[in-house]
Amino acid sequence: MTNSSSIITDVNAHPTQDSSAGPDTYDLECRNILKTFDGGFTAVDNVSFQIPKGSFFSILGPSGCGKTTLLRMLAGFEKPTSGDIFIKGQSVTNTPPNKRPVNMVFQHLALFPTMTVAENIAYGLRQRKVAKHEIGDRVKGVLQRVGLPDSGNKNIAQLSGGQKQRIAIARCLVLNPDVLLLDEPLGALDLKLREHMKIELKQLQEEFGTTFVYITHDQSEALVMSDQVAVMNHGAFVQQGTPHDLYYHPKDAFVAGFVGESNRWMGRISSQSANGLEITTDSGLGLHGVSGENQSFNNGDKVEIFVRPEAISLVRGQGDSNNSNQLACHVVNVLFDGAKSQILVKDPQSNGEVTVSMPQTADFENLRKGELLSLSWTTEQTRCYRVEG
Amino acid sequence: MSLRTPKLRLGLLLLLTPMLLWLLLLIILPHVNMAIISLSERVSAGEYAFSLSNYAEFFTESLYWNTFLRTATMSILVTFLTLIIAFPVSYYIAKMLRGRTKGLVFALCLIPFWVSELVRTYGWMILLRETGVVSSSLQWLGLTDGPIEFLYNDAAIIVGLVYTSMLFMVVPLTTTLDSLDDSYIEAGYDLGGNGFTVMREVVIPHAMPGIVSGCIVVFMLTLGNYLTPALLGGKDSLWFTEQIFTQFITRFNWEQGSAFGILLLFLSSFIVWLGLKLSRQSFTRVMS
C-alpha cells in the first residue's frame, strides 16, 4: 500500500468504462437531481451519477442523509424539484411509478399478506396482461431460480425472514426490470441471517444480471456486495468509487470516519516535508502522517487524523519498531469477538482511548487488563483531513 | 400450573360476571320469554294454549312477509350505499390526511352523533318538508312553481338511514385502512398496478374485515331502526319494526308481536350469515 494523494486524483469521476461508453450502456443515469421539501429543506442536493449495466451500486449514508428520498425519486414516488432521471437513455422523470421499468424491494418488503406466494409474484405479470399459462410458467421459473420451488401455495406468514426476502426479490425480478431498487431490505433480519443474505443477494444479482441499486446505512453491507459505492451525506454524494477505493482512499474526513472503523485525533500541522506531515494532536501527541486524497495544508491548519485499528502493530511490553509512530499504552479492555476481536488501550500521555485489532496469534491470547503494550504504525497509514470551519 | 388453575377460573368468572349478568337478564331472559309467548295462543280470557299460529300468520298474511322483505331489501340497499359513501371518506381520512387534520376530520364525522337521533331526524324533516329549506330554495330559484314534498317516501327513508349509519361504517373502515402500511399501496403501483387494480387487489382485500364488520353493524341497526323510517317515511313507511310496535302497543297482541320479534332475529341472523359466506369472511375474524 504505497499511496499518496497524487496517484489517485480522480476517484470521484466515473471510474469504469467512462468516456468511450455511449449513453445506452448506462442502465440508470441521474443528472443534477435536486429535491427540496416545503419549508426549504433540501433532501437531495444536486446529485449526478451513472450506473453501468448489470452492476451492483450502493448508496451508503447515515440516516437522514437523503438516500431514501433519492431512491423514491428513482422509483417515481417523489418528483425531483429539478434534474433528470434516465433509464437506458430514456428520460423517466415524468413517468409514473407503474410505467417505469424499475421495481423496488421495500424496507419491510411489502409482500401482500392477502395473497399466496405465487399470487404475489404473479401480481405484476397480471397487471401487464401476460397470458395465464405464461404467468404460471414464469412464476415457477423464478421460484426455482431463487431456490424456493415448492413455496408457491404458501401464505406469506408461513415464510421465514430469509424466504420472504427472496420472494420479495423474485416478485420484482419476474418482471425483468432494467433496474432493481432495494431499500435496506436486510435491516429487519437478525445478524446471522443478514450475513448470509448479503452473499445471497450478491449471487442473485450476478445470476440475474440486473442492475441493483441498494441503499443502506450499514457500511459492511455496502462494501461486501457492491461493485460501486456512493457515500452520501447531507443530501450530496461525497465520494463514489469501488469499495476498495473508499476504504483505502477516502476523499474527506466524513468518508474516512464513516467507511470502516478508525481511531481519530484532532490536531494541527506543525511541519511539512517530502516524507510527510508532522502533526501535534490537541492532547499533545506528536504523529507522523500523510495528507488524505486531494488535500494540501499550510502549517498550523486544523486537521482530523485517522488510523485504522488493523494498521497498528503490537508488541507486548516495551518494544521498538521501525515505524514512525510509536505509542506505549495500557490495556483497558479486551473486546473478544473471535476473529474480529479488538483491544481497547489507553495512552497515558493524552488519556485518549485507541482501538487496535487483536493479532490472531497465540502471543496475545492471555492478554490482561492493565498490561503494557507498544503500539506502532507507519506514516502512510496516518491520514490527515482538513477540518471544515 | 394445576395449583393456579382454580384461582384463575375464579378470577375469570368474576371478570365475566357483569357481562354474563347483562347477557342473561337483558338479552337471553327476555328472548326466552318472548319465544314462549310467541308459541302460545289466547283461547279465552286468561287462558293460553301452545300454538304455532302466530308464525303461520307471518307466512300466510302477505302484508307481513312483504313488509319484512321490503325492510330487508331496503336495509341491504342502505348498507351498500353507506359503504359506497363511507369508503372514500375513510380512505381519505386514513391514507391522505396526516397528523392534526386527520384527527380533526375524523372528529367532524363524529360530532353529529353527539346530537340525539331524534333531533338529527327532525333536522332532515326541516330540510325536506313541503315548506322546508330545499323546497323553498327551489321555488326561490324559480326551478319549480309550487312547493314540493320530499318527505314520506322511500328515498327520504334511505337518505335518513344512510345518514344515521355513516359513523358505524366510517369507524371500522378508517381503523382497518389505517393499519394498511403505505408501502403496500406503493408496491402495488411499483409492480405496474393502476389506481383501480391497486384498490381491488391490495386495498379492498386488506380492508375486507372492516368492510364486513361495518356492514353487519349498519345492516343490523338499519333493520332494527324504528325512529327514522317512522318519522321520514310517515304512515306508509311499512318498516318491519313498526309492525312489531303495532302488535305490541296498538293491537295489544303480544303473542303476534313476540313471534315477529323472534322472526326478525332469526331472519336477520340468516342474512348476516349469508353475507359472511358470500364474502368468505369468518365472524370471529371480522369482529376481532
Side-chain angles (χ1 to χ4, degrees):
Chain A
M1 274 312 304
T2 55
N3 58 65
S4 75
S5 57
S6 60
I7 298 175
I8 292 117
T9 51
D10 208 10
V11 279
N12 199 33
H14 319 297
T16 49
Q17 43 180 294
D18 195 10
S19 54
S20 59
D24 50 338
T25 50
Y26 297 121
D27 269 349
L28 180 69
E29 185 181 356
C30 287
R31 283 185 205 157
N32 305 96
I33 298 290
L34 182 78
K35 176 76 185 176
T36 51
F37 285 110
D38 301 338
F41 174 68
T42 304
V44 176
D45 191 3
N46 210 15
V47 166
S48 299
F49 60 94
Q50 292 157 319
I51 302 177
K53 199 171 160 45
S55 58
F56 198 124
F57 186 90
S58 291
I59 299 169
L60 173 66
S63 54
C65 73
K67 56 189 192 303
T68 302
T69 310
L70 178 59
L71 198 76
R72 289 175 62 80
M73 284 192 282
L74 298 181
F77 297 126
E78 306 269 359
K79 215 174 141 30
T81 311
S82 67
D84 258 321
I85 300 166
F86 296 88
I87 291 169
K88 288 212 189 286
Q90 298 283 313
S91 171
V92 294
T93 317
N94 295 310
T95 313
N98 53 355
K99 300 271 191 292
R100 289 193 188 192
V102 165
N103 290 115
M104 180 153 159
V105 177
F106 288 81
Q107 190 164 15
H108 300 292
L109 307 178
L111 291 168
F112 305 127
T114 50
M115 302 181 195
T116 64
V117 167
E119 284 167 346
N120 259 287
I121 297 174
Y123 173 87
L125 296 169
R126 274 188 280 124
Q127 307 308 322
R128 296 187 179 188
K129 309 270 184 297
V130 176
K132 252 206 171 113
H133 61 274
E134 200 194 327
I135 290 181
D137 291 347
R138 282 172 72 172
V139 169
K140 241 180 240 164
V142 82
L143 279 173
Q144 196 91 44
R145 289 178 78 175
V146 298
L148 296 165
D150 305 319
S151 302
N153 292 322
K154 283 190 184 163
N155 282 322
I156 298 303
Q158 288 171 279
L159 300 177
S160 71
Q163 288 172 330
K164 280 183 191 162
Q165 206 86 50
R166 283 188 264 174
I167 297 303
I169 292 164
R171 183 173 75 168
C172 292
L173 290 180
V174 76
L175 301 171
N176 298 320
D178 290 335
V179 178
L180 183 70
L181 309 172
L182 299 104
D183 182 6
E184 302 197 48
L186 303 188
L189 301 179
D190 60 73
L191 187 72
K192 194 101 184 168
L193 192 55
R194 194 153 66 217
E195 295 299 318
H196 175 74
M197 283 308 294
K198 271 187 216 167
I199 301 160
E200 198 162 303
L201 259 179
K202 179 81 186 147
Q203 281 170 347
L204 275 174
Q205 191 266 332
E206 274 166 8
E207 194 189 322
F208 281 83
T210 309
T211 299
F212 278 32
V213 178
Y214 187 95
I215 69 167
T216 181
H217 63 266
D218 182 321
Q219 42 109 358
S220 142
E221 283 175 20
L223 296 182
V224 170
M225 293 190 285
S226 318
D227 300 319
Q228 285 276 307
V229 181
V231 180
M232 200 172 174
N233 193 24
H234 297 309
F237 275 14
V238 184
Q239 185 174 5
Q240 184 186 333
T242 62
H244 187 276
D245 268 347
L246 292 179
Y247 193 82
Y248 291 109
H249 314 294
K251 194 186 143 200
D252 69 1
F254 175 77
V255 180
F258 193 72
V259 178
E261 280 187 67
S262 289
N263 292 298
R264 301 187 196 201
W265 289 274
M266 300 295 275
R268 282 184 193 280
I269 306 279
S270 43
S271 73
Q272 306 186 59
S273 70
N275 297 330
L277 308 166
E278 301 252 348
I279 320 122
T280 313
T281 68
D282 291 352
S283 49
L285 220 58
L287 296 175
H288 301 267
V290 293
S291 53
E293 313 298 325
N294 301 328
Q295 310 259 330
S296 60
F297 303 107
N298 294 320
N299 287 348
D301 278 356
K302 208 167 168 23
V303 290
E304 198 167 0
I305 306 136
F306 293 87
V307 178
R308 300 258 184 228
E310 73 271 17
I312 301 173
S313 311
L314 286 180
V315 178
R316 285 180 88 158
Q318 289 288 355
D320 262 339
S321 87
N322 300 326
N323 291 333
S324 54
N325 294 299
Q326 303 204 9
L327 203 58
C329 292
H330 292 283
V331 175
V332 175
N333 222 330
V334 178
L335 310 169
F336 186 77
D337 184 19
K340 282 185 260 173
S341 298
Q342 292 187 320
I343 307 165
L344 199 62
V345 298
K346 195 172 242 173
D347 134 50
Q349 192 182 338
S350 67
N351 230 8
E353 285 186 344
V354 181
T355 314
V356 188
S357 292
M358 178 132 100
Q360 297 299 306
T361 54
D363 298 349
F364 291 89
E365 244 171 47
N366 56 353
L367 209 60
R368 294 262 175 277
K369 273 186 200 178
E371 205 176 311
L372 187 71
L373 281 181
S374 297
L375 279 61
S376 69
W377 63 93
T378 64
T379 309
E380 285 75 29
Q381 279 158 330
T382 313
R383 308 175 153 276
C384 302
Y385 292 90
R386 183 184 312 284
V387 177
E388 304 298 337
Chain B
M1 201 53 210
S2 58
L3 275 171
R4 286 177 56 196
T5 315
K7 258 190 192 169
L8 259 177
R9 284 251 176 85
L10 187 68
L12 191 70
L13 208 69
L14 281 172
L15 276 173
L16 284 177
T17 305
M19 172 83 169
L20 291 173
L21 277 177
W22 177 65
L23 271 176
L24 185 75
L25 295 176
L26 294 171
I27 312 286
I28 297 172
L29 270 184
H31 272 86
V32 169
N33 193 244
M34 250 172 65
I36 294 167
I37 295 175
S38 74
L39 287 169
S40 60
E41 191 185 17
R42 204 163 76 125
V43 186
S44 63
E47 222 178 297
Y48 294 90
F50 175 81
S51 157
L52 285 171
S53 62
N54 295 317
Y55 290 91
E57 184 79 4
F58 174 81
F59 292 103
T60 48
E61 184 63 66
S62 66
L63 173 73
Y64 295 147
W65 57 262
N66 272 335
T67 306
F68 182 82
L69 271 183
R70 179 185 139 82
T71 310
T73 330
M74 276 175 72
S75 297
I76 291 169
L77 182 67
V78 166
T79 308
F80 183 70
L81 286 174
T82 313
L83 177 64
I84 297 295
I85 299 167
F87 195 87
V89 174
S90 309
Y91 190 83
Y92 185 73
I93 293 173
K95 289 283 128 214
M96 311 286 209
L97 296 178
R98 293 273 173 273
R100 275 172 69 102
T101 19
K102 185 177 193 159
L104 199 73
V105 174
F106 196 61
L108 280 179
C109 291
L110 204 89
I111 281 168
F113 290 82
W114 292 0
V115 176
S116 112
E117 193 188 349
L118 189 68
V119 177
R120 270 181 283 135
T121 311
Y122 275 120
W124 276 110
M125 292 179 80
I126 289 168
L127 288 178
L128 297 178
R129 68 189 165 153
E130 216 172 345
T131 53
V133 176
V134 178
S135 179
S136 331
S137 317
L138 287 176
Q139 288 179 71
W140 182 77
L141 286 168
L143 290 170
T144 163
D145 295 332
I148 303 173
E149 179 63 272
F150 287 101
L151 280 176
Y152 313 126
N153 55 46
D154 289 358
I157 299 179
I158 287 174
V159 166
L161 285 171
V162 167
Y163 177 70
T164 305
S165 310
M166 215 53 193
L167 183 74
F168 302 98
M169 192 66 96
V170 169
V171 170
L173 279 183
T174 308
T175 315
T176 40
L177 286 173
D178 224 13
S179 70
L180 176 70
D181 197 279
D182 285 349
S183 66
Y184 291 106
I185 298 170
E186 285 177 349
Y189 281 108
D190 184 66
L191 295 164
N194 54 38
F196 176 73
T197 52
V198 169
M199 195 51 84
R200 196 189 60 197
E201 302 203 28
V202 180
V203 180
I204 292 180
H206 176 90
M208 212 53 194
I211 293 174
V212 174
S213 72
C215 284
I216 290 176
V217 173
V218 168
F219 176 74
M220 287 303 209
L221 284 175
T222 307
L223 200 67
N225 198 323
Y226 176 77
L227 194 71
T228 308
L231 287 179
L232 296 178
K235 61 183 182 337
D236 296 329
S237 59
L238 285 176
W239 208 255
F240 196 67
T241 47
E242 287 167 15
Q243 292 290 346
I244 300 178
F245 181 84
T246 310
Q247 295 298 338
F248 271 105
I249 308 298
T250 318
R251 297 181 56 184
F252 217 66
N253 188 350
W254 279 47
E255 295 76 30
Q256 191 62 63
S258 302
F260 284 176
I262 298 287
L263 279 166
L264 182 66
L265 175 69
F266 281 105
L267 289 170
S268 56
S269 304
F270 173 73
I271 293 171
V272 168
W273 175 81
L274 204 68
L276 284 169
K277 280 281 152 225
L278 288 176
S279 64
R280 294 200 198 91
Q281 297 285 316
S282 85
F283 190 71
T284 41
R285 195 177 148 220
V286 161
M287 287 298 153
S288 62

